[in-house]
Amino acid sequence: MFKYVMRFIKALNANAHPGDIGHAVALGVMLALIPRSNLLWPFLFILTLFIRMNKGAFFLSLILFSFLTPLADIPLERFGYTLLSIPVMQPAYTVLYNTPFVGLTRFNNTLVAGALAAGILLYIPMYILTRVLLSVYRRKLQPLITGSKLYKFFVKIPLIKKIRTASRLGGDL
């Protein structure tokens, strides 16, 4: 876990492409919304490991947003019920359910359907929001933080020096 935090901090302060971090956070939010008790979650999780993105940002966003998703269960379930209740879509849902292995994804569960749809709908706004916040951080906050006396004192602590050396962050922190 510590390794992913250090990778994320390094990516924030380095010249890591903002799109890599944006995709990571958006995918982390999407997977955090989806319940883990079906075949869909591990399939999407393994698929995300093959995508070029910042893995530290992905795992951190997945973990952090997983703590918040229980608060969204009721709206997600209502959204899923609305999606699964569309009369025109019933034949398509029947075909999908009868397709081998697709039924194991439990897409017909209102919470799974609502969470997947919400994750897909939230992907682009989360991507854009992450890129904007990262840009603001790099332009305005990073110089203030690295120039502060507290930061300079913090980096001189022997344990922090060892961590920085071990993680090969050098001056990027």
Side-chain angles (χ1 to χ4, degrees):
M1 178 67 185
F2 181 72
K3 179 173 70 173
Y4 293 119
V5 171
M6 293 306 289
R7 282 185 188 172
F8 178 65
I9 291 172
K10 184 177 180 180
L12 283 179
N13 296 309
N15 287 330
H17 192 272
D20 292 347
I21 297 172
H23 286 302
V25 171
L27 285 170
V29 169
M30 180 190 297
L31 276 178
L33 289 173
I34 299 172
R36 288 158 185 77
S37 61
N38 57 60
L39 191 59
L40 181 65
W41 196 90
F43 174 74
L44 291 175
F45 179 78
I46 290 170
L47 186 66
T48 59
L49 296 179
F50 293 105
I51 296 174
R52 182 178 170 246
M53 65 177 169
N54 184 286
K55 301 295 191 249
F58 170 70
F59 285 112
L60 281 178
S61 64
L62 176 62
I63 291 167
L64 292 175
F65 283 104
S66 291
F67 288 116
L68 299 175
T69 54
L71 302 173
D73 279 351
I74 294 173
L76 289 175
E77 193 160 2
R78 288 181 182 158
F79 183 51
Y81 179 78
T82 303
L83 290 175
L84 293 174
S85 299
I86 300 172
V88 175
M89 293 298 295
Q90 296 308 312
Y93 293 149
T94 304
V95 169
L96 281 174
Y97 188 75
N98 290 328
T99 304
F101 298 109
V102 177
L104 297 175
T105 63
R106 294 184 56 196
F107 75 92
N108 59 334
N109 182 315
T110 55
L111 184 58
V112 174
L116 178 63
I120 292 169
L121 291 173
L122 285 173
Y123 187 88
I124 291 177
M126 287 304 298
Y127 174 80
I128 293 170
L129 179 67
T130 303
R131 286 194 66 151
V132 167
L133 291 176
L134 184 61
S135 173
V136 169
Y137 168 77
R138 285 183 177 172
R139 266 189 291 116
K140 297 187 179 183
L141 284 177
Q142 183 183 14
L144 290 174
I145 292 171
T146 55
S148 72
K149 291 180 183 179
L150 181 64
Y151 173 80
K152 290 176 182 174
F153 171 76
F154 184 72
V155 218
K156 289 181 183 177
I157 298 172
L159 178 63
I160 302 302
K161 280 185 182 179
K162 287 182 182 180
I163 292 172
R164 289 179 70 198
T165 305
S167 63
R168 297 182 186 164
L169 288 177
D172 292 338
L173 187 69

